[in-house]
Amino acid sequence: MRNPATALAAALSLSMLPAIAAGAQSGVPLATVAARAGLAYRWLGPERSVSLSRPGLVVVLRPGETLYDVNDRVEIADRAPRYAGGDLVVDQSLAAHIERLARTTRSASLRPPAATAGSGPQRSFSGAIQIEARHLPGSEAIAVNGQAPPGAPVTITLLATLSPDIPTVLVSRSDVQTDVNGRFGAIISTAPDYLRGSTIEVLATSAPGVAPASAHVTLGAPEPGFH
């Protein structure tokens, strides 16, 4: 004769399976993480990777990969992001870690500089960035020019898509500042990306209140006729 207690325990276990499975599949969409953390959200390249950025921080995540980029270093997630509902979904621990990174970066950017004679309050900025980028003939570099609020800091991040089968990679980050007319410019090396035909996304971010912008450049040979 079947023990009633055993039957009840089995029934309860079976009834909990859908909830356990749902919990295993639950997560946080990256768009939600970006909104909560104050990060700019952007899709990158054909492999559907996502960039979350603000001045001083660029995080690049890819579906199905536990390795992800944080500025110029690589970190490892407990679970790989998955593609669902038109977004990448991450687990709660990775979402919390990204939000902590954003808070740490924001605190550092808001920390006042050492007091100096005649120093005034820290400036705030508003507006949007406009950017143009082109491969510089005769070199392994990109010329970047743009417009943003006068005196604003601008971070230029190069992200390379080498091919549809290779994830987007972080190439470099450079910091510049606009002049009194709001203009900025830089010549940035594309090393170590020497692959002809790869696409570079040039992402420009600035202070809170300034909308980011991006441009794309396809790398060609450094010299005409050179292959």
Side-chain angles (χ1 to χ4, degrees), residues 160-212:
T161 300
L162 306 178
S163 82
D165 301 319
I166 301 176
T168 298
V169 295
L170 178 66
V171 176
S172 68
R173 293 172 63 248
S174 304
D175 295 319
V176 298
Q177 188 166 5
T178 60
D179 62 19
V180 293
N181 297 310
R183 294 188 296 264
F184 66 90
I187 295 176
I188 304 174
S189 171
T190 56
D193 181 8
Y194 301 109
L195 184 63
R196 306 293 170 245
S198 62
T199 299
I200 297 286
E201 177 169 12
V202 184
L203 175 63
T205 57
S206 186
V210 180

Side-chain angles (χ1 to χ4, degrees), residues 6 8 37 59 70 84 97 103 122 133 139 150 160 197 204 206 212-213 215 222:
T6 303
L8 178 60
V59 181
V70 178
H97 179 58
R103 285 195 300 270
Q122 192 173 23
S139 70
S206 186

Side-chain angles (χ1 to χ4, degrees), residues 22 61 76 151 160 200:
L61 304 104
I76 304 176
I200 297 286

